[in-house]
Amino acid sequence: MLRALVVLTLALSSATAFHTLRLTPQRVFGTSLKMATKLTQDELKKMVGYKAVDDHVKSGMVVGLGTGSTAYFAVERVGQKLASGELKDIVAIPTSIRTKEQAESLNIPLVTLDTHSRLDVAIDGADLVDPALNLVKGGGGALFREKIVEASADKFIVIVDQSKIVDALGPAFPLPIECLPFCIEHTMRNLEALPAMQGAKAVLRRGSSANNKVDGEEIAISDNNCYLVDMHFDEPIKDPVALADQINKVVGTVEHGLFVGMTTSVIIAGEDGITVKDA
Ligand code: 5RP
């Protein structure tokens, strides 16, 4: 149950438009509880997932559905609003097999980029967000489908809790890179040797493809039948744009989890409320 009064204030930052909103739990969740206690992480994720849909998804839109434990709640909200009739004529493009399955279970009509090359909006989580709203994504292994869908959206709305906000990308979360299986050790060596990689160590993901924990022996296989390599940094990435460019030139890579210059807005849930940062 919901247990907090959520505070939103307005502020400005020089690099990005930045505002915080004051919401009550009643407005966010439709309950009449008034007790002010701490929200759980799942409640925070639900709050930003629902807010992203409420603020950005309108009837008739083509909507990109992200992947992960935060995006889950945005998908849930789209399903609820379609079922209630509040939203009509939505079609959606999922960014992973598991999001496709969730959307199907909620009777959300699905299409693909083959029939709909432009999306009105895409909503997704992230693993890290820097002050310029550049992202690391792909902790859940869906980075290729996320990037191809989100790069095709007029608006890309990122939903995170405060723990994902960092001063610089790098040490706080490894950078995933999807690679073809052919001669993967060679590709990993070439990735490690990139100047902008700053000596980061390449680790082949094993076990579940949906996280970067060591939870199995077998090499993890992505939705696209590829491998996932997680680059571990000791230092902040100095130049994400240069790094993205250099990775793109390594033969054998499919896509990387640096999402540079793609974000429209980030909706951030923290203990003190919801903050929205616009690019
Ligand atoms: C999946 C992703 C996710 O968006 C990212 O890992 C964040 O997930 P969560 O909301 O579960 O923390 O990039 O590939």
Side-chain angles (χ1 to χ4, degrees):
M1 287 298 288
L2 305 175
R3 293 167 284 159
L5 276 178
V6 180
V7 177
L8 277 145
T9 49
L10 279 174
L12 286 173
S13 86
S14 52
T16 54
F18 178 75
H19 52 278
T20 317
L21 312 169
R22 181 178 288 272
L23 296 179
T24 63
Q26 295 95 308
R27 288 167 74 179
V28 177
F29 299 108
T31 126
S32 62
L33 285 177
K34 288 188 179 158
M35 253 169 44
T37 54
K38 201 175 160 188
L39 291 171
T40 67
Q41 200 172 19
D42 263 1
E43 286 166 342
L44 295 173
K45 290 177 181 183
K46 183 172 183 174
M47 199 160 58
V48 288
Y50 279 29
K51 180 171 172 57
V53 173
D54 293 350
D55 288 359
H56 295 282
V57 179
K58 310 283 174 243
S59 292
M61 282 187 168
V62 182
V63 182
L65 303 176
T67 295
S69 58
T70 315
Y72 175 91
F73 290 109
V75 179
E76 179 177 86
R77 187 62 156 180
V78 171
Q80 277 176 8
K81 290 191 145 189
L82 278 172
S84 71
E86 199 178 327
L87 282 176
K88 296 184 195 327
D89 303 323
I90 294 288
V91 291
I93 303 183
T95 54
S96 63
I97 292 172
R98 57 188 189 280
T99 298
K100 178 172 181 281
E101 289 170 351
Q102 185 196 0
E104 284 169 346
S105 76
L106 296 168
N107 299 315
I108 300 173
L110 298 180
V111 294
T112 73
L113 288 172
D114 282 338
T115 55
H116 294 71
S117 270
R118 281 317 302 169
L119 290 78
D120 295 289
V121 64
I123 301 170
D124 202 355
D127 299 303
L128 297 176
V129 181
D130 80 3
L133 309 190
N134 296 321
L135 315 174
V136 164
K137 284 184 52 55
L143 63 104
F144 168 72
R145 295 192 189 192
E146 290 171 340
K147 193 175 280 186
I148 194 170
V149 169
E150 288 149 15
S152 306
D154 292 342
K155 286 199 293 183
F156 175 31
I157 309 301
V158 178
I159 47 178
V160 291
D161 63 71
Q162 187 69 38
S163 68
K164 310 292 184 66
I165 306 301
V166 291
D167 291 336
L169 307 179
F173 197 92
L175 170 66
I177 303 176
E178 187 157 355
C179 298
L180 289 166
F182 182 77
C183 291
I184 188 65
E185 289 174 28
H186 164 80
T187 304
M188 288 165 70
R189 276 197 297 277
N190 283 344
L191 286 169
E192 286 182 339
L194 294 174
M197 200 60 87
Q198 302 171 197
K201 293 280 165 269
V203 176
L204 187 58
R205 196 177 292 192
R206 292 177 186 272
S208 168
S209 65
N211 67 70
N212 59 15
K213 298 182 177 59
V214 183
D215 60 358
E217 295 283 307
E218 299 294 316
I219 297 174
I221 306 293
S222 73
D223 284 354
N224 314 301
N225 291 317
C226 289
Y227 289 172
L228 293 155
V229 174
D230 293 299
M231 303 302 303
H232 292 251
F233 288 81
D234 285 337
E235 297 168 15
I237 297 171
K238 291 189 185 66
D239 190 344
V241 176
L243 181 57
D245 191 48
Q246 290 173 19
I247 296 169
N248 286 336
K249 291 180 178 143
V250 175
V251 179
T253 60
V254 174
E255 195 47 80
H256 57 79
L258 279 172
F259 285 47
V260 177
M262 289 177 57
T263 305
T264 305
S265 297
V266 184
I267 305 177
I268 306 157
E271 276 179 22
D272 295 334
I274 291 183
T275 303
V276 180
K277 270 186 116 178
D278 298 323

